[in-house]
Every structure is written in structure tokens, then in C-alpha cells.
Amino acid sequence: MNEPPVEWRFDDYTPTPRILPPRRASWRRARSALAIVAIVGLAALSAYLWSVNGTWVRQNETLRESASSLGAQLAQASADALAAQSELDDATARIRSLVNDEAQAGDKALVLTDVGAKLVECADARAQHIRYLNSASRYTAASLTANEAAVNEFCTSVIAAYVDAVAST
Amino acid sequence: MKARALASLAVASMVLAGCGILPASPQPAPSTYLPEPSPSEGDTPGALSPDGFTAAQRMTVRVRNIGCGFLSTGSGFALDAHTLVTNRHVVENAATVEVSTYDGRIIQAKAASTTTVADIAIVSTEQSLGAAFAVRAAADPVRGDVITVVGYPNGGRLTTASGVVLGASADPLGGAVGPVLASSVSIAPGSSGSPAFNEKGEVVGVIYAKNFSNQSFLVPISTLNTLLTEKSLLVPATDSCTT
């Protein structure tokens, strides 16, 4: 009861078209899209970087010029300030010197005025003593001698003070 | 195939990630580089006036005591426009007291008050002493503090000298009630009444004496503050030529 074997014949073969699976086809499209996106992105990035670089370079040049100009101005201002400070120091020293001269002159004027008043007292005392001598009969010799000594002592001290005052001027 | 796909993905990721760290364009440059004006320091004791003198120098005056048959000088400093502080011994036995300012103005003293508590005198004037006045410290300086003394040593030029506080001491002249301060500042006759400033420019004492070791002595600011608060401790100075 066995059936006879089926004879396979070459003529029966008809080739069928090769069709890729749907999944592999979409992957290829995505890959191409990604490549395009990457190329466009890189181009945009390059353009941006080029633009930014140009902006930085231009601003850097501007800032360098500005810094150089400000540096020159600062150097000039510093030199002017130093010169002004030197003049101010000189003026301050001059003011101190003048104020001191005025104070010393004031001191000396006061001393000389005082000494002058004492010299007048000395002259008055001597004039008085001469009047005593003119009326010597009215006074004792001892009192006249004592008065003369007192007047001489006073006048000697006043003259010494005058000499000192003049010497210090 | 798979490797190329991964490489494309990596490139795309790098491009996208790179956007986050891209350098930005520079900010617009400022239109001016001039700094904003800073707060004026013209009111501080160390500030210079337009004529080049510090406030400490402007408030310090030269005191001339014209007595009966003698003339002596000292220093002092302005508390306000019409009041100055000096030493009692500077104005003692005076017939007239004259004050010279740093810029050469001569001002007659109107009255003086002294105290037996310390070598301090308060002198008032009719004319204004100027615009720079003492800022009194709240507390006395301590050992090691740097002080600067401004005055007219030997009745000469306005001079500044610095030193340190050596500590509290008994009054070497024996006249003060409380302790005084010793310092290393070198002074001379005529410096009496000079203000001593701390590093903040506050008055911390009044110079009044020196010893043979060239140490100077100050009436501490606490004593001066007490005297200015307790006016009853001050009595009018008498004119020696009329007594």
C-alpha cells in the first residue's frame, strides 16, 4: 500500500522576488535621517562658533585698544597726581614754615615789648635816682647807695634780658 | 551595519550635547570705565584737607601763655569750634592766653577752667578754632597700642610723632588723682597738651609730662571724659597778674 515517491523536477522551480523585512527598511531610513541631521547640526555649530569667535576677537581688539588707551591715561594721571602731591607737600611745608615763623616772631615781639617796658622802668628808676642825688641832703648816704644798687641790679637784669632777646631774633 | 548606526547616533548625540556647552557671545562692552565715586573720607581724622593737613593736625593748636614777665608755649586741641583742651600748667599764671591754629590764625582765649584732678585745662575762645574737632575714644588705650601725638614741641613747627602705650602708671609729678598712661612717644617742652590719637584717629589721651628716660605721660581719655561730664570738677583759672 505504499505510495510511489514524488519526483522533484527542476522545471517546477520559479524564483520569487527578494523582499527585505519591513523592520530593516525603516532602520535604514532613520539612519539616513540621522546622518543628515548630524551634518546639518555640525554645519550650524561651525557657523555659530565662527560667528562667536569673530565677535570675541573683535571685542578683544576693542578692549585691548581701550585698555591701552586707559593705561596711557592712567600713567599720565598718576604722573600728574605725583607732581600735584609733590607741590602739595611743598606748599604744606611752606605753610608750616610760615606759621612757625609767624609764631616765633610773635613770641619775640612779645618778649621785646616786655623787655622794652622794663627798659622804660629802668630809665625811670635811674631818673628818679638822679633826682634823689640832686636832693642828696634830704637822704642818708646809705639809703642812696642802697637805691643805686637796687636800680643797677634791676637795670642790669633788664639789659641782660634785652641782649638775650635781641640775640635770639 | 550596526557599527555605522551606532557611530551616527554618537555623532548626533555629541552635536546635541555640544549645544549645552557652547561658548556664548560676549556681553556688550561697557561704555565707560570710570569708577563710581566712593564715599568721601573727608570727615575722618586721617583725611587730608585741600591744603594737605590731616584733621588731627588741623584740630591741634599752639597755645601761648603770656604771663607777667614770662612767655611759655604749649599745645592743645579743639573739642568744638570754641573749646579746646590743654594742660593746666600750660595756661597757669597767664595774663593772656593766645592760640595759634595750624594755618596761622591767632585767637585770643576768652576763659580757662582747670582742675586739681588732672593736669587738664578747658579753654574757650570767642573766634572759631576751625572745622576739625576731636573725636574722643570711649575707652583708654592698653599696653602695646600704637598712638600718634601731634603738637608743637619747643613751640616750633607742627610735628607728628608715634610710639606705643607702655601701660598705666602713677603720676610721676604726683598731682593726678587717678593713674596716668606712660608711652614711648618722644616729646619736648611745648608738647604739653598735645592730643594722642589711636589708629582710628580718636583722641585717647593728653600729653602732659616726660621723664629722663624719654618716656612721655598722658592723661587718659577716661579722665578727660569724666571731667567733661562732671563740670563741677572744673574751676575758673585766675589771672595771675591781678591776684
Side-chain angles (χ1 to χ4, degrees):
Chain A
M1 293 304 287
N2 290 339
E3 293 182 6
V6 177
E7 186 182 350
W8 185 82
R9 291 182 302 186
F10 185 72
D11 295 341
D12 293 340
Y13 175 73
T14 52
T16 54
R18 186 167 175 265
I19 299 171
L20 292 172
R23 190 176 168 195
R24 293 189 71 185
S26 65
W27 176 244
R28 175 179 281 177
R29 280 196 299 274
R31 202 174 57 189
S32 300
L34 273 175
I36 290 167
V37 166
I39 290 166
V40 171
L42 282 174
L45 178 64
S46 300
Y48 174 75
L49 289 175
W50 181 79
S51 168
V52 169
N53 178 58
T55 309
W56 277 107
V57 167
R58 282 192 297 277
Q59 192 178 75
N60 187 39
E61 286 171 357
T62 305
L63 288 172
R64 276 178 188 277
E65 287 171 8
S66 184
S68 176
S69 169
L70 287 171
Q73 288 179 34
L74 182 61
Q76 184 59 48
S78 295
D80 291 347
L82 280 176
Q85 182 63 51
S86 175
E87 288 179 14
L88 183 60
D89 290 344
D90 290 347
T92 304
R94 183 75 180 137
I95 289 171
R96 287 189 200 199
S97 177
L98 288 171
V99 168
N100 182 49
D101 289 348
E102 183 191 23
Q104 302 305 321
D107 289 352
K108 285 164 188 167
L110 285 167
V111 170
L112 286 172
T113 302
D114 190 51
V115 170
K118 298 297 180 190
L119 281 171
V120 170
E121 286 182 32
C122 165
D124 289 346
R126 284 197 163 149
Q128 181 67 43
H129 184 66
I130 290 169
R131 285 194 290 274
Y132 291 155
L133 291 176
N134 287 338
S135 313
S137 58
R138 297 169 56 188
Y139 306 102
T140 63
S143 66
L144 286 173
T145 304
N147 187 63
E148 183 179 1
V151 169
N152 282 340
E153 184 183 2
F154 173 68
C155 287
T156 301
S157 68
V158 171
I159 289 167
Y162 171 75
V163 170
D164 287 346
V166 170
S168 65
T169 57
Chain B
M1 295 292 281
K2 196 174 181 179
R4 279 195 291 176
L6 286 173
S8 299
L9 266 176
V11 168
S13 302
M14 283 164 54
V15 168
L16 291 173
C19 292
I21 55 169
L22 286 177
S25 290
Q27 296 292 320
S31 57
T32 178
Y33 295 92
L34 292 177
E36 289 293 318
S38 57
S40 172
E41 297 181 352
D43 294 334
T44 60
L48 287 178
S49 64
D51 54 12
F53 288 88
T54 64
Q57 291 170 324
R58 281 178 282 146
M59 74 176 72
T60 305
V61 296
R62 180 185 193 264
V63 180
R64 178 189 282 149
N65 178 341
I66 305 164
C68 301
F70 71 91
L71 180 80
S72 63
T73 66
S75 303
F77 59 96
L79 278 182
D80 58 44
H82 298 281
T83 311
L84 66 97
V85 176
T86 185
N87 288 147
R88 182 185 61 226
H89 76 261
V90 169
V91 295
E92 216 159 38
N93 301 323
T96 307
V97 173
E98 284 181 350
V99 173
S100 306
T101 59
Y102 78 99
D103 54 356
R105 290 181 300 121
I106 296 176
I107 298 167
Q108 296 287 329
K110 187 172 67 175
S113 299
T114 60
T115 178
T116 55
V117 173
D119 194 350
I120 290 289
I122 309 295
V123 178
S124 59
T125 62
E126 286 279 2
Q127 284 179 268
S128 171
L129 293 165
F133 313 121
V135 176
R136 285 175 282 133
D140 292 338
V142 296
R143 180 186 171 89
D145 283 357
V146 175
I147 57 171
T148 301
V149 172
V150 182
Y152 293 86
N154 296 311
R157 296 185 184 200
L158 182 58
T159 303
T160 301
S162 294
V164 295
V165 173
L166 302 173
S169 153
D171 180 8
L173 304 178
V177 172
V180 297
L181 295 170
S183 88
S184 64
V185 180
S186 180
I187 61 166
S191 297
S192 292
S194 298
F197 299 91
N198 63 15
E199 289 179 314
K200 289 192 285 187
E202 300 167 329
V203 175
V204 293
V206 184
I207 291 287
Y208 78 99
K210 66 178 287 188
N211 63 13
F212 291 111
S213 304
N214 211 24
Q215 295 172 342
S216 50
F217 293 88
L218 305 88
V219 177
I221 193 64
S222 58
T223 303
L224 179 60
N225 287 338
T226 303
L227 287 170
L228 292 172
T229 307
E230 301 291 332
K231 300 285 188 187
S232 60
L233 295 171
L234 294 165
V235 294
T238 54
D239 185 342
S240 66
C241 294
T242 59
T243 56

